[in-house]
Amino acid sequence: MSRKKISRALISVYYKDNLEPIIHLLAKSGVEFVSTGGTQDFIEKLGYAVVPVEQLTGYPSIFGGRVKTLHPAVFGGILFRREDADHQRQAATYSIPPIDLVIVDLYPFEETVAKGGTEEDIIEKIDIGGISLIRAAAKNYQDVLIVSSRTQYPDLLALLNSKDGHTELADRRHFAALAFDTSSHYDTAIFHYFNRQEKMERYKSSFQKATVLRYGENPHQQGVFYGDLNAQFEQLHGKELSYNNLVDVDATLQLLSEFASETAFVIIKHTNACGVATGATVKEAYQKAFQADTLSAFGGVLATNRPVDRQAAAEMNSLFFEILVAPAFEAEALDILKSKKNRMLLVQKQPLAGGRQVKTILNGVLEQDVDWKTDSEADLKLVTQRQPSAEEIKALLFASKVCKHTKSNTIVLAVNGQLIASGVGQTSRVDALKQAIEKAKSFGLSLQGAVMASDAFFPFPDCVEIAHAQGIRAVIQPGGSVKDQDSIDFCNRQGMAMVFTGFRHFKH
């Protein structure tokens, strides 16, 4: 039968929040309670009788509470098939009463790890009885309803109210799916804890929060973000974030993170920077960033690492842009920026997660370390006769930061604290350089005295030859070509400075 009445409930939970109304409703329907420990005390204090698990099993809680519910009297009551005559006979023979509802949550393993608990504390938070009860009840969803998390209490309460203490097969199957989500997520967290030390090459990932997006990269594609956006941002204004918005926001904040010690502004279009600058104020940094490409900034994603004040807001308000991300907004700035109803204003609440990057390809997943390396002055190896000036070194390191976050093949042209132009995603490095030069010229920006950064080595001297003709005086690149000397020799003949970093920054 699809419709079943709940007659007996096993309830054993770590958190008691919002449990009380469920207990009252079950009691009103005449449900018998089976419980143990703190949950038993909780139910009894509400004025209801409880059958202790120890009475059901004939065994006390042993081994410091590690073994309480692991017994045939409990698991038999959950797992036996109500429509199977042989199962019914065995249940009667061994005096095993049916259990129709199981409400369990799990020891807070992830929370204990996150709080920096000791190894002993963490291991003790690996739930055994609870996870076993969840799996057993979920497996027998034909007869049993399993509630595996306190986040499901509102749905359970609505179900009990609407169906007068009964459940349908579809209800039980839905809660069973949620239960296996709970158990798999829990096991994944435990594996990741152990694998910090073991370092097995296994890929496991689990997110229990998701945001369904309007669509994916294009309107005919479905899109979902898995993760907790509310932990990352507070949205103060505007429409819902889209798939492409999120991709661009991520690219924007990745680049912005390179400038933590300076007031910086970044403008991104299709994951590539069309404006990057540092300045004394947010307004100045924005003005310099916008100057690099006043066309592509239209409809872009903007971000700064300092609070947005009224002056900065007034300066950028005339530009149509999709998103602005900042650590804070002054009240007057918000009043100005909210004048466009669809403009999305986000407060960044925490830094981006580091660690590993993943990408689905072919029939599997690629995983790698995040490119954590930011080229510094200590990395620079002078390979030419002329040494770059202090101002050129600052410009070279600035250009290198932008280059690292730009699609390969890329060339970045800059001065200290300002992107002039870049060539992005080209099939040859020469094409990338020519694209950057043409872009700078189209916006009336001089390249005299600018510097050039490349994400990878120059296999031929053609790039430094072209750059010199445009007035570029210093170059930063990884080095490593068998023909490095050709580029070095040209720079020496023309009085250009060039440094190698030893670090390539491909981005695909």
Side-chain angles (χ1 to χ4, degrees):
M1 293 174 61
S2 173
R3 186 176 178 85
K4 293 184 180 290
K5 185 180 188 312
I6 299 172
S7 298
R8 184 174 291 105
L10 170 60
I11 307 175
S12 179
V13 296
Y14 188 88
Y15 296 104
K16 314 300 187 294
D17 316 57
N18 303 316
L19 182 62
E20 182 175 343
I22 293 171
I23 300 299
H24 289 312
L25 198 55
L26 290 172
K28 184 179 178 181
S29 298
V31 173
E32 178 182 282
F33 297 112
V34 178
S35 190
T36 186
T39 309
Q40 178 183 341
D41 294 340
F42 178 84
I43 297 172
E44 288 176 338
K45 285 177 181 178
L46 294 176
Y48 303 114
V50 178
V51 176
V53 166
E54 295 84 354
Q55 179 181 317
L56 191 66
T57 64
Y59 276 86
S61 174
I62 57 177
F63 307 128
R66 283 190 165 198
V67 179
K68 289 183 287 190
T69 57
L70 296 169
H71 191 280
V74 175
F75 282 84
I78 296 170
L79 283 165
F80 88 82
R81 296 175 180 173
R82 311 311 195 251
E83 310 301 324
D84 188 306
D86 186 48
H87 283 204
Q88 288 180 340
R89 283 193 297 271
Q90 290 181 60
T93 299
Y94 297 107
S95 301
I96 298 176
I99 296 172
D100 313 304
L101 169 64
V102 176
I103 303 178
V104 180
D105 63 8
L106 300 171
Y107 291 162
F109 177 84
E110 288 182 278
E111 293 90 334
T112 305
V113 172
K115 291 177 181 177
T118 65
E119 175 90 349
E120 182 179 1
D121 289 339
I122 291 169
I123 298 304
E124 284 306 308
K125 290 301 186 291
I126 297 177
D127 205 310
I128 302 301
I131 203 80
S132 302
L133 289 168
I134 287 172
R135 291 179 63 84
K139 177 177 180 176
N140 198 24
Y141 69 87
Q142 293 282 347
D143 299 303
V144 181
L145 180 70
I146 171 64
V147 178
S148 56
S149 168
R150 54 182 168 160
T151 62
Q152 298 162 21
Y153 288 177
D155 291 340
L156 173 62
L157 202 60
L159 176 63
L160 295 173
N161 272 312
S162 65
K163 298 186 177 176
D164 193 27
H166 290 72
T167 64
E168 305 287 346
L169 180 61
D171 303 322
R172 299 190 296 274
R173 195 180 194 284
H174 173 68
F175 276 87
L178 292 174
F180 285 118
D181 173 53
T182 297
S183 64
S184 64
H185 179 81
Y186 196 74
D187 285 340
T188 297
I190 295 170
F191 169 78
H192 283 311
Y193 172 74
F194 278 91
N195 207 37
R196 290 178 182 180
Q197 179 174 323
E198 302 303 325
K199 301 190 183 304
M200 290 182 280
E201 300 300 331
R202 303 288 189 274
Y203 178 72
K204 299 180 190 298
S205 185
S206 177
F207 293 96
Q208 289 190 298
K209 293 189 177 182
T211 302
V212 177
L213 306 173
R214 297 195 302 273
Y215 49 80
E217 197 163 8
N218 299 291
H220 61 276
Q221 296 170 269
Q222 293 182 335
V224 181
F225 172 80
Y226 294 102
D228 190 355
L229 278 178
N230 291 329
Q232 187 71 59
F233 302 113
E234 178 185 0
Q235 184 164 353
L236 303 180
H237 185 69
K239 60 185 179 181
E240 293 179 358
L241 292 162
S242 71
Y243 180 100
N244 291 332
N245 291 155
L246 291 172
V247 172
D248 281 342
V249 165
D250 179 73
T252 306
L253 296 182
Q254 294 284 358
L255 174 52
L256 187 64
S257 68
E258 300 283 352
F259 301 98
S261 63
E262 304 171 271
T263 298
F265 205 99
V266 172
I267 305 173
I268 289 283
K269 197 73 172 288
H270 294 296
T271 74
N272 288 307
C274 55
V276 186
T278 58
T281 64
V282 173
K283 177 182 176 180
E284 181 188 343
Y286 165 74
Q287 290 172 322
K288 290 167 64 179
F290 180 64
Q291 187 180 18
D293 188 340
T294 57
L295 182 62
S296 296
F298 183 87
V301 173
L302 284 55
T304 181
N305 56 2
R306 299 292 186 269
V308 177
D309 57 20
R310 180 182 60 80
Q311 292 81 3
E315 181 68 25
M316 68 182 79
N317 191 50
S318 60
L319 174 68
F320 169 75
F321 59 86
E322 289 273 347
I323 301 170
L324 174 59
V325 187
F329 294 83
E330 292 184 359
E332 289 181 293
L334 276 179
D335 290 340
I336 294 169
L337 295 168
K338 284 182 176 180
S339 62
K340 306 294 192 294
K341 69 175 183 177
N342 289 328
R343 178 183 285 164
M344 289 161 274
L345 304 177
L346 305 178
V347 172
Q348 185 180 3
K349 296 162 69 173
Q350 61 184 23
L352 296 179
R356 307 282 282 177
Q357 291 177 319
V358 296
K359 180 184 291 188
T360 57
I361 67 161
L362 302 175
N363 62 343
V365 172
L366 279 175
E367 184 177 19
Q368 67 171 357
D369 294 330
V370 170
D371 184 359
W372 54 266
K373 179 60 183 174
T374 297
D375 297 331
S376 68
E377 189 168 354
D379 298 314
L380 305 185
K381 177 185 176 184
L382 180 65
V383 295
T384 53
Q385 293 168 359
R386 186 174 83 79
Q387 183 170 335
S389 68
E391 186 72 7
E392 285 174 332
I393 288 174
K394 290 178 182 178
L396 289 168
L397 293 175
F398 174 91
S400 175
K401 290 175 180 179
V402 179
C403 195
K404 169 185 167 181
H405 293 274
T406 307
K407 291 292 178 67
S408 300
N409 288 309
T410 184
I411 292 289
V412 168
L413 307 178
V415 294
N416 183 23
Q418 184 181 25
L419 170 67
I420 299 299
S422 60
V424 303
Q426 298 301 302
T427 52
S428 83
R429 208 155 298 283
V430 170
D431 285 345
L433 175 55
K434 289 179 177 178
Q435 181 190 53
I437 293 169
E438 180 60 32
K439 198 163 196 177
K441 288 181 176 179
S442 70
F443 291 103
L445 300 174
S446 173
L447 294 176
Q448 291 296 321
V451 304
M452 175 172 70
S454 174
D455 59 337
F457 63 64
F458 297 124
F460 305 103
D462 43 12
C463 280
V464 290
E465 292 169 357
I466 296 169
H468 173 260
Q470 300 298 321
I472 290 165
R473 296 284 294 154
V475 180
I476 185 170
Q477 59 137 318
S481 169
V482 294
K483 294 189 175 182
D484 276 343
Q485 196 60 47
D486 292 349
S487 295
I488 294 170
D489 289 343
F490 178 85
C491 288
N492 284 333
R493 288 195 299 271
Q494 303 301 329
M496 295 174 69
M498 184 160 64
V499 293
F500 288 177
T501 65
F503 292 94
R504 188 182 73 186
H505 294 292
F506 272 167
K507 185 176 177 64
H508 294 106

